[in-house]
């Protein structure tokens, strides 16, 4: 997990540097995802998010070893150019080149005969194209439709060498196939048009097999936001009754799709398949004399929402980081100050050092736990499933936060708080030993430190380093001020009111973590995605319009209501 050790050390105020050796990566797939993130955010003018993606790439790249020294050095140089780029165009160019040199390194490490690959691809596709051509000559639209479906299935199984050797040729073939699909699905299919479209498609495939680069490059900078804009425009045309314009807009979507598809295919495979299969049909249906208008708009809205879910910024703010440390730090601080206050009143100030010693050992062991957790999360095994782990750890953090929230709720009255402190001090007094005092101090700090690590494990990957550090600094400043005031005005501060406010904030943060974590798992297809039409994405509170995330957050709300009712009955 990115900079996890550094961040946890900041939390614990412990200056600690540790180099954790990591096995050389067996696959570069996670590096391509970082490049894709950087490209997407650069196109959308999200500079800080692009920097974060490049930082992730650099962190992962640092653990890579390769015998191809010159090729690896090229990646180092282009990475430096991408990091140091001062303009949007410079960064986009560098990122594109970074992908190319990384792919070149992969080819050197796993050498392949590209000419042989093309020849093999041509041998496989020659009979497939022949079958489709026979169906076209026959003129039976049902046979043509079946032949196209077979063609498409076999293309999807064998497209890899085209995609790896030439993105431009791959994009042109994909677009030509989509337009052919639109013609086949037309209300009155034009066989001659299909023959012309297939002739162009066949020529592109034959050019690729011959090693010719004849594809027309799609000019422009496109992103997920562009796809959403095209869908919105198509819907506007549908509402206005201009179905031809709506169909043309979907065709524009299809034309630029190959330039953007990697940003979706790396995050949501099912959405990638849905777009490729449904958008050509929608473009065709819009030109028919009768069609299900509501059904088409519903499909477009669902595709739009799923793209927006990928595009949505799931980052946490510095306030989220500050709240966690503030809550955990205040509980430990209150217990320690209560013990110190007791020693002062009982004339045993000399024993203060044991209270502080216990707290220090708690900080030290929490730092050790941070190192162990950092080692686990940065291991090669975990790295390949980073987002999956982030989702599950986030849910664990949310579950613990619910417990913390309930605990806070139980202390949000004067009687409850006084009873809690009396119990803590009473246990120490009854033993009459220094060890008991130090143990309470140690356990208070270590318990809060351990909880803080789990909570931060749930949100750290979704935060910019600067925001994370700022949140920790803000929380530490507040803790210092609070400690000073508490020392000066011990017994006069309504601590229970703090717990009442903290309870609300903790529940809000738990609500957000549940939403973001389930959303992360949905993007990895570990949790199903059922879109709820008509509801917005609200990133600031982690609300996503899917049945699964809403159920998780509804369970939290039910627990909150149940806790409130239970407390009232106790009173």
């Amino acid at each position: 997990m990115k900079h996890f050790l550094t961040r946890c050390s900041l939390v614990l105020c412990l200056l600690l540097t540790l180099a954790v050796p990591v096995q050389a990566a067996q696959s570069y797939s996670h590096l391509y995802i970082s490049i894709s993130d950087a490209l997407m955010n650069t196109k959308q003018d999200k500079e800080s998010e692009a920097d974060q993606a490049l930082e992730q790439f650099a962190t992962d790249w640092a653990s890579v070893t390769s015998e191809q020294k010159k090729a690896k050095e090229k990646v180092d140089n282009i990475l430096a150019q991408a990091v140091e780029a001062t303009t949007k165009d410079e960064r986009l160019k560098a990122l594109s080149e970074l992908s190319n040199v990384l792919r070149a390194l992969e080819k050197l490490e796993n050498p392949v005969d590209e000419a042989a690959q093309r020849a093999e691809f041509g041998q496989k596709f020659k009979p497939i194209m022949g079958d489709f051509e026979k169906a076209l000559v026959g003129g039976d639209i049902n046979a043509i439709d079946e032949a196209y479906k077979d063609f498409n299935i076999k293309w999807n199984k064998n497209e890899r060498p085209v995609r790896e050797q030439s993105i431009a040729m791959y994009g042109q073939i994909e677009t030509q196939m989509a337009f052919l699909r639109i013609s086949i699905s037309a209300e009155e299919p034009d066989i001659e048009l299909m023959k012309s479209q297939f002739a162009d498609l066949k020529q592109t495939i034959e050019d690729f097999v011959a090693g010719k680069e004849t594809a027309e490059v799609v000019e422009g900078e496109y992103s997920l936001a562009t796809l959403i804009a095209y869908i919105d425009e198509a819907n506007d045309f549908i509402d206005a009754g201009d179905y031809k314009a709506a169909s043309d807009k979907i065709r524009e979507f299809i034309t630029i799709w190959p330039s953007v598809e990697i940003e979706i295919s790396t995050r949501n495979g099912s959405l990638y398949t849905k777009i490729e299969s449904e958008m050509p049909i929608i473009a065709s249906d819009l030109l028919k004399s009768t069609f299900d208008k509501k059904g088409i708009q519903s499909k477009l809205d669902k595709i739009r929402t799923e793209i927006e879910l990928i595009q949505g910024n799931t980052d946490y703010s510095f306030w989220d980081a500050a709240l966690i440390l503030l809550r955990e730090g205040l509980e430990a601080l209150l217990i320690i100050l209560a013990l110190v206050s007791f020693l002062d009143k009982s004339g045993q100030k000399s024993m203060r050092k044991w209270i502080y010693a216990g707290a220090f050992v708690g900080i030290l062991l929490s730092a050790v736990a941070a190192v162990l957790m950092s080692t686990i999360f940065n291991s090669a095994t975990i790295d390949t499933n980073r987002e999956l782990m982030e989702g599950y750890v986030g849910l664990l953090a949310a579950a613990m936060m619910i417990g913390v929230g309930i605990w806070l709720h139980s202390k949000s009255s004067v009687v409850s708080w006084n009873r809690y402190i009396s119990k803590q001090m009473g246990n120490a007094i009854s033993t009459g030993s220094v060890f008991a005092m130090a143990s309470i101090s140690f356990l208070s700090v270590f318990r809060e430190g351990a909880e803080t690590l789990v909570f931060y494990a749930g949100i750290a990957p979704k935060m910019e380093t600067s925001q994370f550090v700022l949140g920790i600094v803000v929380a530490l400043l507040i803790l210092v001020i609070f400690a000073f005031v508490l020392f000066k005005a011990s017994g006069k501060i309504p601590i229970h009111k703090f717990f009442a406010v903290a309870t609300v904030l903790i529940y809000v943060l738990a609500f957000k973590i549940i939403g973001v974590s389930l959303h992360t798992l949905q993007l990895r297809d570990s949790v199903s995605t059922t879109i709820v039409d008509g509801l917005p994405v609200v990133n600031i509170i982690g609300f996503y319009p899917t049945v699964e995330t809403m159920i998780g957050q509804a369970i939290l709300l039910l627990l909150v209501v149940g806790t409130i009712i239970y407390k009232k009955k106790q009173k």
Side-chain angles (χ1 to χ4, degrees):
M1 193 166 290
K2 191 170 92 176
H3 300 309
F4 192 73
L5 176 56
T6 304
R7 294 174 171 184
C8 291
S9 299
L10 285 167
V11 175
L12 302 167
C13 305
L14 184 65
L15 299 176
L16 182 64
T17 304
L18 182 68
V20 182
V22 183
Q23 295 291 329
Q26 300 300 312
S27 169
Y28 294 153
S29 59
H30 58 299
L31 294 174
Y32 287 115
I33 291 175
S34 294
I35 294 174
S36 175
D37 285 342
L39 275 167
M40 179 176 66
N41 288 311
T42 300
K43 288 177 180 178
Q44 296 175 10
D45 296 318
K46 296 181 178 179
E47 188 175 344
S48 59
E49 286 87 344
D51 289 340
Q52 186 179 1
L54 272 174
E55 195 175 345
Q56 179 66 61
F57 181 98
T59 300
D60 293 336
W61 178 246
S63 66
V64 172
T65 58
S66 174
E67 294 180 0
Q68 303 295 333
K69 303 298 183 184
K70 289 185 178 180
K72 187 175 185 299
E73 188 177 343
K74 282 186 179 180
V75 178
D76 292 333
N77 293 336
I78 301 300
L79 174 59
Q81 291 177 24
V83 171
E84 296 168 5
T86 56
T87 67
K88 180 178 179 179
D89 289 340
E90 283 181 10
R91 172 157 287 182
L92 287 172
K93 182 179 179 181
L95 288 171
S96 179
E97 183 61 19
L98 182 60
S99 180
N100 291 334
V101 294
L102 183 61
R103 188 171 287 108
L105 173 61
E106 263 192 311
K107 288 180 179 179
L108 287 173
E109 292 180 342
N110 305 283
V112 295
D113 187 336
E114 291 189 349
Q117 273 191 340
R118 292 195 299 271
E120 182 183 359
F121 175 81
Q123 287 178 349
K124 287 180 180 179
F125 253 79
K126 190 173 182 179
I128 297 169
M129 290 189 293
D131 290 342
F132 186 78
E133 207 158 14
K134 286 178 185 177
L136 275 176
V137 172
D140 183 342
I141 193 62
N142 291 325
I144 293 173
D145 187 43
E146 289 301 316
Y148 175 85
K149 288 177 181 177
D150 183 60
F151 186 102
N152 187 54
I153 289 170
K154 290 174 180 175
W155 160 254
N156 289 331
K157 288 182 179 179
N158 297 284
E159 66 178 21
R160 183 173 178 179
V162 185
R163 187 175 64 247
E164 290 183 345
Q165 291 191 32
S166 174
I167 290 296
M169 295 293 277
Y170 169 78
Q172 183 159 301
I173 291 172
E174 287 262 302
T175 303
Q176 289 170 334
M177 288 179 62
F179 286 167
L180 181 57
R181 180 63 178 144
I182 291 172
S183 297
I184 294 171
S185 304
E187 189 170 32
E188 296 180 3
D190 185 337
I191 302 297
E192 292 305 315
L193 174 60
M194 285 184 242
K195 287 180 180 179
S196 174
Q197 290 174 325
F198 179 69
D200 291 339
L201 171 60
K202 182 180 178 182
Q203 186 61 55
T204 304
I205 292 174
E206 289 176 347
D207 286 344
F208 169 76
V209 173
K212 299 177 182 177
E213 190 75 24
T214 57
E216 295 181 11
V217 179
V218 178
E219 300 291 343
E221 295 179 5
Y222 303 106
S223 64
L224 298 183
T226 311
L227 299 181
I228 291 173
Y230 279 142
I231 292 175
D232 287 342
E233 289 178 46
N235 266 325
D236 289 341
F237 283 127
I238 293 173
D239 289 334
D242 191 345
Y243 305 127
K244 173 65 168 59
S247 179
D248 289 343
K249 193 56 63 175
I250 298 301
R251 284 171 178 266
E252 290 181 44
F253 179 107
I254 291 169
T255 301
I256 65 120
W257 166 247
S259 303
V260 187
E261 64 175 38
I262 191 172
E263 298 177 12
I264 290 179
S265 63
T266 55
R267 290 171 177 77
N268 191 332
S270 61
L271 175 59
Y272 170 81
T273 302
K274 183 189 295 184
I275 289 174
E276 293 220 326
S277 61
E278 292 187 3
M279 292 305 268
I281 303 298
I282 291 173
S284 179
D285 286 348
L286 285 167
L287 298 178
K288 294 179 179 178
S289 57
T290 59
F291 59 87
D292 183 0
K293 176 181 174 181
K294 288 185 178 179
I296 285 179
Q297 287 194 303
S298 176
K299 286 181 180 179
L300 289 174
D301 287 341
K302 286 182 179 179
I303 289 173
R304 184 196 188 284
T305 300
E306 289 195 62
I307 295 174
E308 191 178 17
L309 288 174
I310 293 175
Q311 181 195 34
N313 179 11
T314 57
D315 290 353
Y316 295 92
S317 71
F318 77 94
W319 283 115
D320 297 317
L323 177 61
I324 290 174
L325 180 57
L326 189 60
R327 209 246 37 114
E328 300 303 318
L330 276 172
E331 184 183 343
L333 179 63
L334 289 171
I335 294 171
I336 291 170
L337 291 181
L339 293 173
V340 169
S341 177
F342 165 76
L343 290 176
D344 289 347
K345 291 177 181 178
S346 60
Q348 301 180 65
K349 289 187 178 182
S350 60
M351 291 175 62
R352 274 184 175 186
K353 61 183 179 181
W354 298 107
I355 303 291
Y356 299 141
F360 176 77
V361 174
I363 292 173
L364 187 63
L365 289 185
S366 293
V368 171
V371 172
L372 293 175
M373 188 173 288
S374 176
T375 303
I376 293 171
F377 277 108
N378 282 296
S379 68
T381 303
I382 295 299
D383 189 65
T384 58
N385 296 289
R386 184 183 302 276
E387 288 188 343
L388 202 62
M389 283 299 299
E390 289 169 6
Y392 287 124
V393 171
L395 290 177
L396 173 62
M400 289 185 66
M401 279 195 158
I402 292 171
V404 168
I406 293 173
W407 182 89
L408 283 168
H409 203 117
S410 69
K411 303 294 176 287
S412 58
S413 70
V414 178
V415 175
S416 297
W417 172 247
N418 288 338
R419 186 188 305 120
Y420 174 68
I421 287 299
S422 297
K423 180 181 178 182
Q424 293 289 330
M425 294 197 318
N427 289 338
I429 297 168
S430 63
T431 62
S433 69
V434 172
F435 178 76
M437 291 283 187
S439 295
I440 291 175
S441 178
F442 161 73
L443 290 174
S444 298
V445 172
F446 181 69
R447 183 186 67 184
E448 307 312 324
E451 287 183 359
T452 301
L453 290 179
V454 176
F455 294 159
Y456 279 144
I459 74 169
K462 302 288 185 182
M463 292 189 69
E464 296 177 43
T465 302
S466 58
Q467 289 288 297
F468 193 92
V469 173
L470 178 60
I472 291 169
V473 170
V474 169
L476 289 174
L477 288 174
I478 294 174
L479 285 173
V480 170
I481 294 171
F482 193 91
F484 176 79
V485 173
L486 193 60
F487 265 121
K488 294 293 183 180
S490 181
K492 297 179 181 179
I493 299 175
I495 303 299
H496 63 285
K497 290 185 178 179
F498 154 75
F499 281 99
V501 174
T503 301
V504 175
L505 296 176
I506 283 292
Y507 283 144
V508 169
L509 186 52
F511 184 92
K512 182 174 183 177
I513 291 177
I514 289 172
V516 171
S517 299
L518 286 173
H519 174 53
T520 299
L521 294 175
Q522 285 177 325
L523 294 181
R524 291 298 303 268
D525 287 332
S526 296
V527 173
S528 60
T529 303
T530 308
I531 301 293
V532 179
D533 292 336
L535 295 178
V537 174
V538 187
N539 293 310
I540 193 170
I541 60 170
F543 179 80
Y544 303 94
T546 71
V547 171
E548 294 77 11
T549 55
M550 290 169 67
I551 287 176
Q553 291 169 329
I555 291 173
L556 168 64
L557 296 178
L558 287 174
L559 286 171
V560 171
V561 172
T563 302
I564 293 172
I565 292 173
Y566 177 74
K567 185 181 177 184
K568 286 185 176 180
K569 285 185 177 181
Q570 279 191 321
K571 287 183 178 180

